[in-house]
Amino acid sequence: MTETTAAVARAALADAGEILTVQRAAYLAEAQLYGDPFIPPLVESLEQVRAALAAGDGIVLKAVLDGRLAGAVRARFNDRTCLIGRLVVPPDLQGRGIGGRLLRAVEDAASGRADAAMLFTGHLSEGNLRLYRRAGYRETHRERVAAHLTHVHMRKPLGPAGTASAGGTARTAGTAGTAGTAGA
C-alpha cells in the first residue's frame, strides 16, 4: 500500500456530477458483494447529490489528487452527533490512505458541533470495517435490513478538533481503501 497525499476541501455544487460518478464506481463492488444492484448509493440521483451539497447544515468534503476527484464523504448532524456516510474512493485509488484522510477531515470539520461520530457499513465489507476500527470506531449494534444485508453501526467519541476522546483511540492514518458506508 502506498500512502497518497490528496488535498481535502469542501465540495461545491459544481462537484455533484463527479461525486456521483465516484460514488457509483465505489459502491459497485459493494453491490456485487451483497448481490444487490439497488443499494441506495447506486440509485441516488444527481438531484439528490446536489441537494446534499446545497444543504447548509451538513458537511460534504472531497479529496483531489492530480486534478482528479479521488474521494468524497458526507456528514450531517443530529444534536451533538455527527452522522458520517457516503465515504467513497474510486476502486483504482483504494488502499492509498485517501479514505482515512477523508474520515479524519470530516471528524475535524465536525469539531465543536459533535461529541461523537457515527456511521454504518455492511457486515461483509471487511475493508470498511478495518478502516473504521483502526480510526477508533467501535461497533454499537447490528441491524438486519434485508435477508442478505446486516448494517454494522459504529461510534467514535470526539473531543476537541475531532480528536478521539477518552474511550476512543488516537486517530490513525487509515490506509485501507473504502467503498463507503451506506449511511448519511
Side-chain angles (χ1 to χ4, degrees):
M1 276 184 252
T2 305
E3 180 74 20
T4 301
T5 303
V8 176
R10 294 258 179 185
L13 197 55
D15 297 314
E18 275 188 286
I19 289 172
L20 184 59
T21 299
V22 168
Q23 177 176 303
R24 287 182 175 163
Y27 275 100
L28 186 57
E30 294 289 295
Q32 291 170 337
L33 182 63
Y34 294 100
D36 184 354
F38 301 107
I39 60 175
L42 290 181
V43 298
E44 187 172 35
S45 70
L46 181 58
E47 292 74 30
Q48 290 170 308
V49 175
R50 285 182 178 140
L53 284 160
D57 59 345
I59 299 168
V60 182
L61 300 177
K62 65 180 179 179
V64 178
L65 180 65
D66 298 327
R68 174 185 172 196
L69 187 78
V73 65
R74 298 184 212 174
R76 55 189 172 84
F77 294 88
N78 182 3
D79 295 324
R80 300 277 308 160
T81 302
C82 178
L83 306 171
I84 299 172
R86 301 291 200 267
L87 174 59
V88 295
V89 173
D92 66 312
L93 295 178
Q94 292 178 9
R96 298 182 183 196
I98 297 167
R101 186 172 175 85
L102 281 163
L103 189 58
R104 288 188 307 276
V106 77
E107 290 169 358
D108 289 345
S111 174
R113 291 181 67 184
D115 299 320
M118 294 181 68
L119 50 76
F120 66 84
T121 192
H123 69 290
L124 300 176
S125 302
E126 289 300 324
N128 297 347
L129 290 165
R130 276 192 308 274
L131 171 66
Y132 303 142
R133 287 180 182 127
R134 273 200 306 263
Y137 287 80
R138 299 292 171 250
E139 184 175 331
T140 60
H141 66 283
R142 291 181 179 230
E143 172 188 24
R144 188 172 188 116
V145 294
H148 62 282
L149 175 61
T150 299
H151 285 159
V152 179
H153 293 261
M154 304 180 87
R155 181 181 188 278
K156 176 182 179 178
L158 298 178
T163 58
S165 64
T169 59
R171 295 183 309 161
T172 60
T175 57
T178 183
T181 63

